[in-house]
Amino acid sequence: MFEGLKPLPQDPILQLMQQFREDPRQDKVDLGIGVYKDAAGHTPIMAAVREAERRLLATETSKGYVGPAGSAGFNDAMAALILGRDNALRRDGRVSVVQTPGGCGALRMAAEFLRLCRPDTTVWVSNPTWGNHRPLLGGAGLAIREYPYLDPATLEVDFEAMLEALAQARAGDVVLLHGCCHNPSGADLTLAQWRRVTEVILRRGLLPFVDLAYQGLGEGLEEDVAGLRQLAAEVPEMIVAASCSKNFGLYRERTGALMLICASPANREAATSQLLSAIRSHYSMPPAHGAAIVETILADDGLRRQWQDELGAMCQRILGLRHALADALAPAGDFGFIARQRGMFSFLGIGPDQVRRLRETHGIYMLESSRVNVAGLNEQTLPVVAEAIRGVL
Ligand code: LMR
């Protein structure tokens, strides 16, 4: 049975992670996979997470099954975090949230759900988009089309081209948007642009699907979902896939949420039952630990404040690094876009040969597309990295 199989290349992001781990050089710098690193180059466990874990360990009494939807407390807390505590959609019974194994679990189950709604669903994704979007959504059998998003000359949003493409979408097509901190470009829509996208979605009868993997790491917890909330208030239906990997630093705990906004409470009930049935036939139920941490933090005023402070400090640190990198590269060209962009990633706009030279000669790792994880820099490595980049330009 297995003898006919050919080896497949690894996912480029994961391959780079492995290559970096195997590189014996002491002074190597990892700007590849999107994980936050502190000033010491370490991916820390947030203090609020540690404290929540301590409490959980002291009070947990069972490892019994959680059920396909996961924890109701977590799901409710995530709905409040994303839409706001006092949100009309939640009050009106139009919102359903299920706990998922990471943002990937949410994206994949959203795709499975969409296939149940309509087997010939087309999802429009930005060009460029995160490398795992196509496998996650296309792997569920959905057709994928691209809308232009980034102007390759300026590395900023080509908004008119985006709108023009979306105006070609058919009623019922799905539009995948990045809630904030666009991965891989860091180029986000302004609130005015979210409004215009909302207009196209309404006019064409499209279904918005927001991937929210970086809430709190762009400008702030509220600011980063302002566009999403504006959209949610206008449209009859919407999907949100949220990740707690980055904003709670829970990467390996696989913690995420999938939200459906439905046209009516009756609709919500039917849609949720379909989604739960799909979950049952895929992984039965999500892992509990990460979600229990998030629930504990969000339910406790003190822990929540502590988490918000820590997240705010991470966000400010990334913004500081963005400005410092743009300044350090300024002698070699205009890199001001890095300071204007948000979240972990930006493209440097250099070619694969230059990317390879940086890796081979200097031990500096970034994706072949020149996407760098700005959050992988620190005060020591930034000047060294900037000098090396200037050297290959
Ligand atoms: C990234 O883009 O580097 C992150 O989202 C991590 C991943 O799984 O690819």
Side-chain angles (χ1 to χ4, degrees):
M1 188 70 135
F2 306 158
E3 64 275 4
L5 295 177
K6 305 254 181 323
L8 279 178
Q10 234 192 331
D11 168 278
I13 297 177
L14 301 184
Q15 189 184 8
L16 195 72
M17 179 173 85
Q18 188 176 338
Q19 216 181 333
F20 179 81
R21 283 180 182 165
E22 288 166 1
D23 187 333
R25 283 175 285 187
Q26 290 295 318
D27 57 352
K28 61 186 176 177
V29 182
D30 182 13
L31 307 180
I33 192 159
V35 290
Y36 177 84
K37 305 230 179 85
D38 63 16
H42 184 60
T43 301
I45 300 177
M46 295 171 90
V49 167
R50 268 208 193 286
E51 173 55 19
E53 280 190 306
R54 196 192 59 75
R55 291 186 196 177
L56 284 169
L57 197 63
T59 56
E60 203 171 44
T61 56
S62 174
K63 293 287 185 192
Y65 289 123
V66 291
S71 160
F74 168 81
N75 294 337
D76 209 42
M78 288 301 287
L81 188 66
I82 296 167
L83 294 176
R85 264 186 223 244
D86 186 33
N87 178 271
L89 296 164
R90 294 176 64 217
R91 276 201 312 274
D92 295 347
R94 289 177 49 200
V95 180
S96 180
V97 180
V98 296
Q99 177 190 325
T100 57
C104 286
L107 286 160
R108 181 53 176 245
M109 291 321 298
E112 297 291 344
F113 172 77
L114 285 167
R115 198 170 49 84
L116 291 173
C117 296
R118 240 182 51 183
D120 64 343
T121 297
T122 296
V123 184
W124 293 73
V125 303
S126 62
N127 177 21
T129 197
W130 178 45
N132 209 17
H133 275 149
R134 272 175 183 274
L136 282 168
L137 307 177
L142 305 182
I144 311 278
R145 289 191 65 177
E146 278 183 353
Y147 59 86
Y149 185 76
L150 202 71
D151 179 342
T154 60
L155 297 175
E156 310 223 42
V157 178
D158 188 351
F159 189 61
E160 293 312 318
M162 172 184 181
L163 280 194
E164 207 173 296
L166 293 184
Q168 312 299 316
R170 291 174 316 163
D173 282 0
V174 177
V175 185
L176 185 71
L177 301 162
H178 298 224
C180 61
C181 308
H182 184 268
N183 180 4
S185 74
D188 282 344
L189 299 178
T190 63
L191 260 186
Q193 289 171 334
W194 275 93
R195 172 149 300 289
R196 289 186 61 198
V197 170
T198 306
E199 283 162 15
V200 176
I201 285 171
L202 288 170
R203 195 168 61 241
R204 306 288 309 170
L206 312 178
L207 176 71
F209 178 2
V210 180
D211 184 358
L212 184 64
Y214 299 89
Q215 184 182 359
L217 286 163
E219 289 180 8
L221 276 171
E222 300 292 310
E223 295 86 338
D224 291 350
V225 285
L228 177 159
R229 288 181 185 173
Q230 187 178 280
L231 175 62
E234 301 280 332
V235 293
E237 295 176 339
M238 176 162 149
I239 298 178
V240 181
S243 170
C244 301
S245 294
K246 333 276 172 171
N247 53 5
F248 287 85
L250 286 172
Y251 309 89
R252 65 175 61 172
E253 301 296 353
R254 309 314 299 139
T255 310
L258 173 56
M259 176 190 288
L260 302 179
I261 296 175
C262 305
S264 70
N267 236 215
R268 165 186 178 270
E269 206 176 306
T272 307
S273 72
Q274 295 272 346
L275 179 58
L276 292 177
S277 161
I279 288 172
R280 178 68 170 152
S281 66
H282 278 80
Y283 54 84
S284 185
M285 37 193 96
H289 186 63
I293 294 169
V294 170
E295 185 178 344
T296 304
I297 291 172
L298 294 180
D300 180 284
D301 285 345
L303 275 186
R304 189 189 179 101
R305 216 170 306 119
Q306 184 177 19
W307 167 69
Q308 283 184 1
D309 288 349
E310 288 180 84
L311 179 61
M314 286 159 68
C315 180
Q316 287 308 314
R317 201 179 117 69
I318 295 175
L319 288 171
L321 288 167
R322 284 189 165 282
H323 281 275
L325 182 60
D327 289 349
L329 294 177
D334 181 8
F335 287 88
F337 61 88
I338 295 177
R340 289 192 292 278
Q341 291 169 347
R342 291 293 174 260
M344 290 187 172
F345 309 115
S346 281
F347 288 121
L348 290 179
I350 60 177
D353 275 353
Q354 290 159 310
V355 168
R356 188 177 42 75
R357 259 160 60 206
L358 285 169
R359 187 176 62 246
E360 288 175 359
T361 315
H362 301 278
I364 297 168
Y365 284 69
M366 65 190 68
L367 300 194
E368 199 187 21
S369 60
S370 86
R371 187 196 81 167
V372 287
N373 171 23
V374 181
L377 291 165
N378 62 43
E379 288 65 17
Q380 275 75 51
T381 56
L382 193 142
V384 182
V385 167
E387 193 184 327
I389 295 169
R390 292 197 306 264
V392 299
L393 280 170

